[in-house]
Amino acid sequence: MALPNVMNTGRTGMMAAKANITTTGHNITNSTTEGFSRQRVHNEANAPRSSHGKNLIGDGVTPKRTMRVNDEYLEKQVRNAGRDLANLEEKDMALKQTEDIFNEMGGEGLNRLMSKFFNEFRKLANEPENEAIRQSVRESTLSMANDFRRIRKEIGEVSRHIDSRIEGYAKEANDLGEQIRDLNLRIKQQEVGGLNPNDLLDRRDLALKKLASIVDVTSFKDKEGMVTVEIRGVGPLVVGAAAEKLEYFRAQGTEDGAPENSLQLRTSGSVSPTITASVKGGKLGGLLEVRDRTLSTVLGRLDELAYGITDSVNQIHRQGFTREGFQGVDFFKPIEGGVERASEFIDLSDAVKSNVNFIAAGAEPDAPGDNRIAIALSGLQGMKLMNGGNATMDDYFNSIVSDVGVFTARNRENMNQSKDIVNQLGKLRDQISGVSIDEETTNLLQYQQVYDASAKVIQVADEMLKTVLELKR
């Protein structure tokens, strides 16, 4: 082999070492970059040269390609686990806010106010002519009605907070869809040119992971390597170089339980007027589930309780006589619209609100000591009038509070389990794709030695060439 060929061998070694050093430095500088996969240079020995007949002598090395160390199946598992955790975290936030509404630790809640309401009628039964007790009955009723409205209002505020988060996540999903579309184009362009767009592939995987945390999506690559993203149960969001958008709008309440004037979703390419009921998983799915199922159920049961109290009390109160001798007076304002929104409309009748003497305590007119109506009204507390005759009013309200607590606790337990799964998968990914500073530092020193040794090959070849030239002199 000619001495220049020896120099070329050393040169290729320096070039390969330089490529490895550059890649190692790239790994180190991105060791804390989210979604980054460590990269490795794949070197390939050059075809040997023939020398002195059949003898073949190596001709150095060529850094063929730089590849990322990545497991697509594991990445999919990480995405799915992140989607489930994000779903549970959003539900936990909304359920915690709902649970706090029913928290009676800091003062009188609806349960205590309901008990006080019936207790005041018991006091009235003992002293039916006592005007101070009648005023207490009126005040306790107003407090109870106000708390019904407070709970409904605060649940509505939770629902509106959920709507604001839905709007924000829809915008984020649109941005991520556009990122994936743009990355599809750039990756295809580089791959057509024979390049390995490792960093772009990492960025696309990260965008997919973030999108999956917002809504349940499926993805697959076409024959050109471009990713198609579909919202599960809805349709495509990104197809190659095209991206649809999640649109949001206000609408009336739906059969799925969405409250009036709530935020609904659709895609720009969908023929369906709304896809809200089809959106599952991720942050959006979790928020919609709490808003349209949990909160809707709580409000519905609260309305049933308010209507049950209003209707049952009025039925008995109309049978009694006021101190002025009137019969048929409503204690509560009749709720004309039925059960729906009863917790918003529950209120004292105008007659009782203006004059406590319109509270009927007796079953006969002009009977000052008659307390039969007051006793009957206080007895409503222990009667099973709710849930098809299977629960008292106290039991029914306690079941509402209990269900919210159970939902919250169960969701939190699942969330903690999901966090463990995400952490385990994250560790697995780090073992495969993560950057180890210790390992990269060791590699850096190794490649530096290879570079120095390759330079030494060139130096030795140069000295050998000088020796040959001096012989000719």
Side-chain angles (χ1 to χ4, degrees):
M1 175 180 283
L3 289 175
N5 293 337
V6 177
M7 290 185 176
N8 184 64
T9 300
R11 182 186 64 82
T12 60
M14 293 178 67
M15 290 178 60
K18 181 181 177 182
N20 279 283
I21 289 172
T22 301
T23 301
T24 302
H26 184 60
N27 289 340
I28 292 172
T29 55
N30 284 281
S31 60
T32 58
T33 300
E34 184 182 7
F36 179 79
S37 301
R38 64 191 175 96
Q39 299 176 13
R40 287 289 178 261
V41 177
H42 289 255
N43 298 321
E44 186 174 302
N46 292 334
R49 296 174 181 269
S50 61
S51 176
H52 300 97
K54 295 183 180 180
N55 189 32
L56 296 176
I57 299 177
D59 194 32
V61 64
T62 298
K64 279 292 184 181
R65 61 192 183 279
T66 303
M67 302 294 292
R68 61 181 187 145
V69 182
N70 184 269
D71 186 325
E72 289 190 3
Y73 177 71
L74 182 57
E75 292 289 344
K76 182 178 179 181
Q77 287 185 305
V78 170
R79 282 200 301 271
N80 291 341
R83 172 201 64 202
D84 295 340
L85 178 58
N87 176 272
L88 294 167
E89 286 178 337
E90 288 299 317
K91 287 198 288 188
D92 181 70
M93 177 276 302
L95 288 172
K96 182 64 171 63
Q97 291 178 346
T98 306
E99 190 179 38
D100 288 342
I101 294 172
F102 294 94
N103 188 354
E104 299 189 6
M105 297 298 291
E108 289 189 334
L110 184 57
N111 191 31
R112 296 178 185 176
L113 291 173
M114 286 171 55
S115 295
K116 186 176 181 181
F117 167 75
F118 289 112
N119 285 335
E120 292 300 327
F121 275 109
R122 292 188 181 92
K123 293 179 182 178
L124 183 63
N126 292 329
E127 300 180 65
E129 300 302 312
N130 191 318
E131 187 164 340
I133 294 178
R134 287 173 174 268
Q135 291 176 352
S136 294
V137 170
R138 180 174 62 183
E139 293 306 315
S140 67
T141 306
L142 289 172
S143 296
M144 181 182 69
N146 287 336
D147 211 55
F148 267 109
R149 290 192 290 271
R150 173 193 68 83
I151 292 175
R152 185 177 186 89
K153 179 182 177 182
E154 291 185 5
I155 290 176
E157 289 174 354
V158 173
S159 182
R160 285 188 289 275
H161 180 225
I162 288 175
D163 279 351
S164 68
R165 293 179 75 85
I166 290 173
E167 181 178 346
Y169 289 136
K171 291 178 180 178
E172 187 177 348
N174 290 336
D175 291 340
L176 291 168
E178 291 178 355
Q179 286 182 36
I180 294 170
R181 176 201 62 193
D182 295 341
L183 287 166
N184 271 343
L185 293 172
R186 294 176 63 186
I187 289 170
K188 178 183 176 182
Q189 184 180 20
Q190 293 197 13
E191 288 181 337
V192 168
L195 302 175
N196 294 314
N198 298 314
D199 295 310
L200 295 181
L201 290 170
D202 281 341
R203 287 173 59 185
R204 188 171 68 181
D205 283 349
L206 180 59
L208 281 169
K209 178 183 175 182
K210 290 181 177 179
L211 182 59
S213 73
I214 295 175
V215 64
D216 188 8
V217 295
T218 59
S219 62
F220 59 90
K221 292 181 182 178
D222 61 21
K223 60 183 179 180
E224 295 180 339
M226 302 178 79
V227 167
T228 295
V229 182
E230 293 184 353
I231 300 176
R232 196 183 298 273
V234 174
L237 184 66
V238 180
V239 180
E244 302 291 347
K245 285 187 175 294
L246 276 176
E247 299 176 348
Y248 44 88
F249 59 98
R250 297 283 176 182
Q252 298 300 317
T254 66
E255 295 180 357
D256 300 308
E260 288 188 24
N261 200 36
S262 61
L263 213 63
Q264 302 292 310
L265 296 171
R266 64 176 172 231
T267 60
S268 56
S270 175
V271 296
S272 175
T274 176
I275 62 168
T276 308
S278 300
V279 173
K280 309 293 182 183
K283 298 175 181 179
L284 286 177
L287 291 170
L288 290 170
E289 182 179 345
V290 173
R291 188 194 70 181
D292 298 345
R293 295 185 187 178
T294 306
L295 295 186
S296 177
T297 300
V298 169
L299 281 179
R301 295 177 68 182
L302 191 71
D303 288 340
E304 289 178 3
L305 180 59
Y307 186 83
I309 292 176
T310 299
D311 188 58
S312 59
V313 168
N314 277 349
Q315 285 185 32
I316 294 176
H317 194 268
R318 291 189 196 108
Q319 299 173 24
F321 289 86
T322 68
R323 294 182 74 179
E324 284 79 7
F326 295 109
Q327 190 181 32
V329 175
D330 286 317
F331 185 81
F332 287 105
K333 286 182 181 179
I335 301 176
E336 303 295 338
V339 174
E340 187 175 359
R341 299 177 68 182
S343 57
E344 179 182 349
F345 299 131
I346 184 173
D347 197 7
L348 268 176
S349 65
D350 291 336
V352 176
K353 193 180 291 187
S354 62
N355 188 347
V356 295
N357 289 321
F358 277 101
I359 297 175
E364 295 181 4
D366 301 322
D370 190 356
N371 63 355
R372 284 174 290 175
I373 295 298
I375 291 174
L377 289 172
S378 65
L380 287 174
Q381 185 178 15
M383 296 177 65
K384 294 185 176 182
L385 302 175
M386 305 302 301
N387 195 24
N390 294 312
T392 66
M393 295 176 185
D394 287 338
D395 292 340
Y396 194 71
F397 177 74
N398 289 334
S399 70
I400 298 174
V401 179
S402 175
D403 286 348
V404 172
V406 169
F407 292 155
T408 305
R410 184 184 302 133
N411 184 80
R412 192 159 298 156
E413 181 180 352
N414 292 335
M415 182 179 68
N416 291 331
Q417 293 176 353
S418 186
K419 283 181 179 178
D420 292 338
I421 294 173
V422 168
N423 289 335
Q424 290 173 4
L425 289 173
K427 291 177 181 178
L428 284 176
R429 187 193 181 279
D430 288 342
Q431 290 175 4
I432 295 173
S433 303
V435 177
S436 168
I437 296 297
D438 292 339
E439 180 183 351
E440 297 301 328
T441 302
T442 301
N443 291 339
L444 193 63
L445 295 174
Q446 179 184 350
Y447 298 139
Q448 181 186 11
Q449 292 174 354
V450 172
Y451 188 88
D452 293 342
S454 297
K456 187 66 175 178
V457 171
I458 296 175
Q459 181 182 359
V460 170
D462 181 61
E463 292 176 354
M464 292 170 65
L465 184 58
K466 289 179 180 178
T467 300
V468 172
L469 293 175
E470 288 175 358
L471 288 174
K472 290 185 178 181
R473 292 177 186 174

